[in-house]
Amino acid sequence: MLMNKNSGPASGEAKLQYGPNGFRVLRTGNHVFCAASGVPIALEELRYWSVEYQEAYATPQLATERLKP
């Protein structure tokens, strides 16, 4: 995760750019929403996302289901 050194904890939804090895914070916040279930995911807990779709997923099962061909 790349963060601006001036950015501190912020509440609300973050805006992220997802890459193959991490994500960049474009707008500070403390969570994003799962694209499949809609549940909030704390940035510290975010482990699953799609670079192609630029979406976050709460669990590996939701990511697998969404990314099926």
Side-chain angles (χ1 to χ4, degrees), residues 5-64:
K5 66 180 180 180
N6 296 325
S7 64
S11 61
E13 184 179 4
K15 173 73 173 163
L16 306 179
Q17 178 182 24
Y18 301 100
N21 299 314
F23 53 84
R24 177 181 299 248
V25 177
L26 302 176
R27 183 180 64 223
T28 59
N30 61 2
H31 67 277
V32 293
F33 289 99
C34 175
S37 68
V39 300
I41 309 164
L43 295 188
E44 302 83 38
E45 303 297 321
L46 180 58
R47 302 285 182 270
Y48 312 101
W49 61 80
S50 167
V51 175
E52 181 180 356
Y53 297 119
Q54 291 294 294
E55 297 176 335
Y57 309 106
T59 67
Q61 294 83 7
L62 289 170
T64 300

